[in-house]
Amino acid sequence: MARAHGKAILLGEHGVVFGRPALAVALDRGVVARATAVASTSDCTLHIEPWGVTVVPDASSSRDLDRAFAALLDAYREAPRVRVEARTELPGGAGLGSSAALSVAVLRAIDELLGIERMIAEVIACSLAWERVFHGAPSGIDSALAAEGGILVYRKGEAPEVVSAPKPFRICVGDTGERSSTRSMVDAVARLRERNRAKIDLVFDSMAALVRNGRLAIEAGDHAAVGQLLDLNHALLASLMLSTEVVESMCASARGAGAFGAKVTGAGGGGCVIALAPGKEDDVIEAWKAAGRDAWISEVGA
Ligand code: PMV
């Protein structure tokens, strides 16, 4: 059985598409996959639960998942004769890197069956081929976290830097129930930047400063400081029109329930909100659930 992590970006999403660093954590929820041998390449399928979706590798299909599966299988010298069963524990299109986690778990399941061992950098590169089908220019942060786990500072085109927290900590993850496409959110930010490059680059530079401070705060175990940085990053993301009314109300209720900070995570336009609330996690989850949102606590940095 192969496994890959979901992720939550603590600081720096969108800036990371434009070459700035971002700080992200692997979640204890992810994707598990198992591959079994089939008689012929024409029987090659990927079945994804709980979506009940069956995918075939087809580079000319109109379905993104078929093309992504074909792109992933390009990693093999010969088309593998496999059937892959995957189960995702992550909501799709919600900012938690479910697509990258799926690609990494599927690749690892096939590798496991075929006895192939790859360096992490190669796993990330294969996952990126899948990710490019869904969104033209992924930074690669989702694939890096899916493959490597832990806490990383990631900058496009560079090896991820591992960040060590003095001990594991917990974050609250809440789902707005609103869905967005990463591609369209990234495109929207790119259009904003076209219109006012200097101003938007300043926003990204500010995010980069938050990432530098965030790394130090995590390494020092200073969660009050991390929480403040989450709030500041959220304000910057909101200034890029990436927040929604539901996101705002979930961030406000998390802070009201005692969180040190809260923000939208990932592409935005809905998706998931995270909050850091040491000792008050249950109160935050209760507040979100009372408003009808799905929410859970994830241990990170283990
Ligand atoms: O929403 P997700 O899980 O696809 O995360 C997107 C993160 C972005 O920084 C907005 C895009 C990227 O490629 O890094």
Side-chain angles (χ1 to χ4, degrees):
M1 187 70 88
R3 225 192 132 75
H5 303 272
K7 66 95 196 36
I9 298 181
L10 298 187
L11 300 165
E13 51 272 88
H14 287 281
V16 70
V17 176
F18 295 90
R20 304 321 191 270
L23 175 64
V25 295
L27 298 175
D28 49 17
R29 287 194 184 188
V31 177
V32 289
R34 183 196 299 275
T36 48
V38 291
S40 118
T41 51
S42 58
D43 297 330
C44 181
T45 54
L46 160 63
H47 188 73
I48 308 166
E49 288 296 346
W51 303 343
V53 170
T54 298
V55 181
V56 291
D58 180 355
S60 52
S61 169
S62 57
R63 282 202 318 176
D64 286 351
L65 271 170
D66 293 339
R67 296 201 308 283
F69 191 29
L72 190 72
L73 295 188
D74 282 345
Y76 299 91
R77 236 178 297 137
E78 275 175 40
R81 285 175 294 192
V82 290
R83 171 182 166 81
V84 185
E85 304 281 345
R87 171 164 290 276
T88 178
E89 303 154 346
L90 302 163
L96 301 183
S98 79
S99 159
L102 189 56
S103 67
V104 170
V106 169
L107 184 84
R108 283 188 171 148
I110 300 173
D111 284 355
E112 214 169 81
L113 180 74
L114 302 181
I116 296 171
E117 284 188 20
R118 292 178 207 271
M119 306 289 283
I120 288 221
E122 198 189 338
V123 174
I124 295 172
C126 297
S127 165
L128 270 171
W130 160 296
E131 284 287 90
R132 272 189 212 103
V133 172
F134 297 96
H135 124 54
S139 67
I141 191 168
D142 291 15
S143 301
L145 264 297
E148 198 155 336
I151 307 175
L152 300 177
V153 166
Y154 181 88
R155 195 191 273 266
K156 205 168 167 177
E158 292 180 12
E161 291 171 34
V162 175
V163 177
S164 305
K167 52 181 195 248
F169 58 99
R170 306 198 302 160
I171 59 168
C172 304
V173 183
D175 190 346
T176 61
E178 300 170 322
R179 293 293 173 263
S180 67
S181 112
T182 302
R183 183 193 285 268
S184 58
M185 301 316 288
V186 168
D187 287 351
V189 172
R191 282 197 300 275
L192 270 182
R193 185 169 176 267
E194 282 303 300
R195 289 205 294 275
N196 199 339
R197 186 170 292 223
K199 186 173 152 216
I200 303 299
D201 280 347
L202 210 56
V203 173
F204 293 153
D205 290 340
S206 307
M207 286 184 186
L210 300 184
V211 169
R212 283 193 292 278
N213 288 322
R215 178 188 191 149
L216 296 173
I218 284 184
E219 286 170 343
D222 185 349
H223 293 156
V226 177
Q228 278 177 354
L229 295 166
L230 297 186
D231 281 350
L232 290 168
N233 195 162
H234 180 73
L236 293 173
L237 292 166
S239 80
L240 298 176
M241 323 277 271
L242 296 165
S243 190
T244 67
E245 268 178 44
V246 179
V247 166
E248 290 306 314
S249 104
M250 287 180 72
C251 288
S253 62
R255 292 178 196 121
F260 283 152
K263 68 182 275 290
V264 69
T265 189
C272 284
V273 168
I274 54 168
L276 192 60
K280 298 277 176 64
E281 288 92 350
D282 291 340
D283 299 340
V284 171
I285 299 295
E286 209 176 289
W288 285 345
K289 287 199 167 163
R293 312 292 165 206
D294 188 20
W296 68 94
I297 297 170
S298 196
E299 183 167 281
V300 302

